[in-house]
Structures are given as C-alpha cells and as structure tokens.
Amino acid sequence: MKRHLLTWIMSLILSATFAQNVDAPEKVAEYPGGICAMMTFLQNTLKYPKACEMAGIEGQVVLSFVINKDGTISNLETLQSPDERLTAEAKRVVKLMPKWTPAMDKGKKVKMRYTLPITFCRNANASQQNFDKNIYDAISQQLAGKKENPRGLYRLLRFSYENGMPDKEPHFEQYKYCSDYYTLQLQIEKDITDGANPEFWISMLNNDKQPLNYTGYIAERDVSIYDSDSKGFKMRWHNDYMNNDYFQLNQYITELYSSEYKISPKMQRVVDLLEMKTAQSETNKFYGCWRRVGILTKVDDMDMLMPGPQDLYQIFDKDVYLHFYEVNVSRMYAYCIMRPISYLSDNLLVEFDQERKVEWVNDNTFKLRFDRGDGTIVTELWKRSGLPDRYQQAFGTNIPVYNIPLSNNPRN
C-alpha cells in the first residue's frame, strides 16, 4: 500500500509546560509557520513501521521535549507509547524538525517544554477525517480571541451549525480574498492538469458587497466576523434564502477560514498575479499587465480598430499568463484563466501549442497575430495597463489604466 494510506497524524498539541520558573511565557514557542505547518510536516514525514503495521499495532505516542532559547529541540522524552518501534519513529521525525521560534517572556527568550501526542492509525479514511477534524480544531484554538481584520487569501475549511447538526467540510474549494475595500469570493471552476494544454479557471465575485472587519456585524445580512487575524477567521451568518446539505434554512451557520492550511498553490499563484507579483526583467518586454484595445481588421486596405467581444486583460509572468475578463460590472463578477506560456523571442509566443506572432509598435503597445482555429488570422492590439480600478483597489496595486477611446476605429 502507498505510505500516505498507512500513516496519519491525528493529534493536537494538547498541553505545554515550561522549563523555567515562570507560570507561562508571554509568547509561547512556535513551530515555523504555526500549528498547521507542523501537522503537515509530521503527516508528510512519518512512516508507519512495517512490523507494527503487519502486527496490527497502532495507538498514541506522547513525547515531551524542551524548545531552547535558540529554537533547537533537546531533552526528548517518552511519556506514553504502545510500542517501542512507534516511539522510535515518532522521535526520529521530531529530531528532523527545523528550529522553532523560541518562547518570549519579559522581552527575553526562554526555554519551554512542549508535550506532543502523535497517533498512528492504519485506517486511511478514518485517519484522514480525524486528521482534518483535529487540525481544524487546532486552527479554531489558535484563532480564539483574535480581533484583527482578516486580510489576504483564506480558504473555507468547515461549516458549523447551531442546531446540533455535525460539522461539515465542503466538497468544493471556496476562498475569500479580504481587503480594506472589497471582499471577493473565489471558486475553482475548472482545473485541467493533464494533456498538452493545462489551464486553471476561477470565478471571482463581490458576494459580501463590503469588506469583512472584526466585530464587523453587518446588520443588513446578519453577519459577524470573530476570532479573526491574518491566519484565519470565523464568519457567522443567518441563512434565510437557501436550503441544501450545507446551508439549512433559517439557522445560523459558522464558516471557518484559514490562510495557512489547504491553500491551493494554483489559487495562490492567481492571487499573486492579481497583486502584480510578476517577474521583473529588463530583457522580457511582456512581463506585467496588458489590456486589449481592440481587433484590427482591413477596410479598403487600411487597418481599422474594432472593439472585441470582451474587455480583456492579460498578466504575463515567466511561465504562465493570466487571462482576466469581467462578466458583470455591477456585481464585480469576473473570470481568471491561468495558462502556461513560452517566450521564443520578443516577437514570438507559444500558448496552447500554437505560435503567436508579435509586432511591437512601441514598448507599451504590440500587435498579436494568431490563427483563430479555423484558418482565420486575427490581429489584436494590446496596450500596457493596469486592471480596472476597483480590482486594483482590492488587490493593492496602483498601475495606470489605459482607457480605450470612445471612437474605436482610428487609422493605425
């Protein structure tokens, strides 16, 4: 069987004691990246001892260790274990941990003793469910009492209900991108990873219609934000308009979001591009954001510029580009499509296994020629530009927007 079906970490950090004469440090020691990062490290690194697996031996190993002032681990002890071989594996992995951020008390670094339970379980399905539940509980515990405004990218992890119905995990990926001006809801619409032409589609909607702020009770929607900081938040709202497996009618529903756990690398890459975190290069003229001005067509042997069917933007990076278009301006509803790209030269791109010829008018304008797929050659005119202002406001950029002239048929 594959290793990931054999071993799962099922435990939380249940308690901590301290190696100095202090009741508790002002700031406890932390694994780099927090609890979620530690749980993921353990899950990916532990190996179920083969002899224990064959003998059906499973259970919990409880370790205790000191986190020193320099972040190293020492004084590793066993408090509980069902088998010495499980103990040896748990200790092996703890010794591989990177340096922690040490505890702080009264402005000084202090030693701290940590107690870590690790459960070995051979039932893969039950193990994954328990792992998710435990890590979600760890995130909730980590967020308890936090009072910052949520800002940045967060993934929806769990629904909780007021009527005693068991918590549920969504079978879909939903994200919130929170800023001082807007809260955008992002969902994966298509993720094609196989084949010659991979692409990644997301939809983006201003569903909340205002920024999400701590204590931010939104009277008109009966929404409150609590236990909130840069690592996650909880959103409680009253459902009075839909009824399905996730959203039962006429009750309060709490959603748990995290910025650290289960964030899709592709979703993060899309957000990085929207934040204009693209490669900087003096040799590649494409990097950055562009707006399609229109489509060039011949009329009486002259190039006439005609409006395209959509207002398109493209953000070019070193190995991908992001295709952006808005389908509903009033709802701030847009699609983003990320696709791979190759730059053969300043005058030749390859996307979808198809060469696209480029003719530069100047450093901020180029013509793009390509076969539409039916033998028709299309020529588009592109200008360097930022995204529409409201999206720049949301994603924290400030790039001049090229405004297309009202008269859309100048001679070229």
Side-chain angles (χ1 to χ4, degrees):
M1 295 177 67
K2 295 181 180 178
R3 183 183 69 81
H4 75 273
L5 295 179
L6 300 179
T7 306
W8 301 100
I9 312 307
M10 294 306 161
S11 306
L12 304 181
I13 299 154
L14 300 178
S15 61
T17 55
F18 308 103
Q20 287 198 346
N21 294 324
V22 290
D23 293 331
E26 295 170 352
K27 184 177 180 181
V28 300
E30 184 177 49
Y31 182 89
I35 292 175
C36 297
M38 182 177 71
M39 298 284 279
T40 303
F41 164 79
L42 292 172
Q43 185 188 25
N44 292 336
T45 310
L46 272 168
K47 297 179 181 179
Y48 212 119
K50 192 69 176 176
C52 292
E53 178 201 342
M54 298 298 292
I57 298 171
E58 56 186 21
Q60 188 177 76
V61 177
V62 182
L63 300 178
S64 174
F65 50 87
V66 171
I67 301 161
N68 297 306
K69 295 178 183 179
D70 63 356
T72 58
I73 291 173
S74 65
N75 299 87
L76 181 58
E77 301 174 1
T78 307
L79 302 183
Q80 172 188 316
S81 176
D83 189 276
E84 290 183 358
R85 291 163 292 187
L86 297 182
T87 302
E89 175 59 14
K91 284 186 173 181
R92 179 190 73 84
V93 172
V94 168
K95 290 176 182 178
L96 293 175
M97 285 183 173
K99 286 186 177 182
W100 290 49
T101 302
M104 299 290 293
D105 193 72
K106 297 178 181 177
K108 295 182 179 179
K109 297 177 182 178
V110 296
K111 293 182 179 180
M112 171 180 165
R113 181 167 286 278
Y114 223 93
T115 302
L116 176 65
I118 298 174
T119 300
F120 291 83
C121 178
R122 294 179 303 133
N123 184 326
N125 291 332
S127 298
Q128 182 63 58
Q129 292 172 5
N130 287 335
F131 177 80
D132 285 338
K133 180 182 184 303
N134 285 331
I135 203 165
Y136 297 163
D137 289 343
I139 293 169
S140 293
Q141 185 179 34
Q142 190 177 38
L143 294 175
K146 299 297 177 65
K147 299 181 179 180
E148 301 173 18
N149 293 333
R151 292 296 179 264
L153 181 65
Y154 300 82
R155 178 171 172 170
L156 173 64
L157 299 182
R158 182 168 63 176
F159 298 98
S160 298
Y161 306 91
E162 65 169 342
N163 66 353
M165 177 177 157
D167 292 357
K168 284 194 175 183
E169 297 169 34
H171 293 146
F172 54 88
E173 288 192 37
Q174 178 175 303
Y175 297 79
K176 298 278 189 185
Y177 184 87
C178 303
S179 77
D180 289 336
Y181 302 97
Y182 300 99
T183 301
L184 298 176
Q185 184 166 299
L186 284 63
Q187 289 189 236
I188 297 174
E189 301 293 336
K190 186 188 300 183
D191 186 3
I192 301 174
T193 56
D194 298 328
N197 297 310
E199 54 182 11
F200 181 70
W201 290 56
I202 70 165
S203 61
M204 186 161 52
L205 176 64
N206 183 19
N207 192 48
D208 295 286
K209 300 183 175 63
Q210 63 184 55
L212 298 183
N213 294 323
Y214 169 78
T215 117
Y217 179 70
I218 307 172
E220 79 178 73
R221 297 190 62 228
D222 207 1
V223 171
S224 58
I225 306 300
Y226 64 100
D227 288 351
S228 166
D229 69 2
S230 62
K231 295 182 178 180
F233 68 94
K234 294 179 181 177
M235 177 177 179
R236 184 173 182 263
W237 59 284
H238 190 264
N239 176 30
D240 57 9
Y241 62 94
M242 54 182 158
N243 192 23
N244 55 47
D245 287 343
Y246 293 110
F247 307 110
Q248 288 198 347
L249 192 63
N250 295 324
Q251 71 160 296
Y252 283 96
I253 298 169
T254 298
E255 299 175 351
L256 173 66
Y257 286 84
S258 172
S259 65
E260 297 184 320
Y261 185 59
K262 285 193 170 181
I263 297 291
S264 159
K266 292 181 182 179
M267 181 66 78
Q268 184 62 63
R269 184 76 185 276
V270 168
V271 169
D272 287 344
L273 291 171
L274 293 168
E275 293 177 340
M276 298 300 161
K277 295 176 181 176
T278 60
Q280 302 297 315
S281 172
E282 295 181 359
T283 58
N284 193 316
K285 299 164 69 172
F286 291 100
Y287 292 169
C289 186
W290 300 79
R291 182 178 186 179
R292 186 176 69 180
V293 181
I295 299 172
L296 291 164
T297 186
K298 290 285 187 183
V299 177
D300 294 333
D301 293 326
M302 293 186 298
D303 278 338
M304 305 297 290
L305 188 63
M306 308 298 292
Q310 294 169 320
D311 195 6
L312 294 184
Y313 297 80
Q314 289 190 159
I315 303 169
F316 290 96
D317 202 4
K318 57 185 178 182
D319 57 348
V320 297
Y321 73 98
L322 189 69
H323 193 76
F324 175 98
Y325 64 95
E326 196 167 26
V327 294
N328 189 313
V329 174
S330 63
R331 298 183 67 200
M332 205 170 169
Y333 180 26
Y335 274 95
C336 298
I337 309 168
M338 186 168 65
R339 296 169 174 148
I341 192 167
S342 299
Y343 306 93
L344 300 186
S345 71
D346 281 352
N347 302 104
L348 193 61
L349 307 176
V350 176
E351 54 183 91
F352 279 112
D353 291 334
Q354 190 178 84
E355 292 187 353
R356 299 179 182 257
K357 296 180 180 179
V358 175
E359 177 186 340
W360 290 91
V361 179
N362 54 52
D363 286 345
N364 296 311
T365 311
F366 65 82
K367 298 177 185 177
L368 183 67
R369 290 189 175 91
F370 57 93
D371 189 325
R372 192 175 62 183
D374 58 1
T376 302
I377 302 302
V378 176
T379 302
E380 298 176 338
L381 184 67
W382 290 81
K383 294 280 289 185
R384 195 179 293 277
S385 170
L387 293 175
D389 288 335
R390 55 194 172 279
Y391 291 97
Q392 295 208 57
Q393 208 175 29
F395 291 101
T397 59
N398 185 22
I399 301 172
V401 178
Y402 178 77
N403 291 312
I404 299 175
L406 293 177
S407 176
N408 223 357
N409 59 346
R411 290 189 181 185
N412 186 23

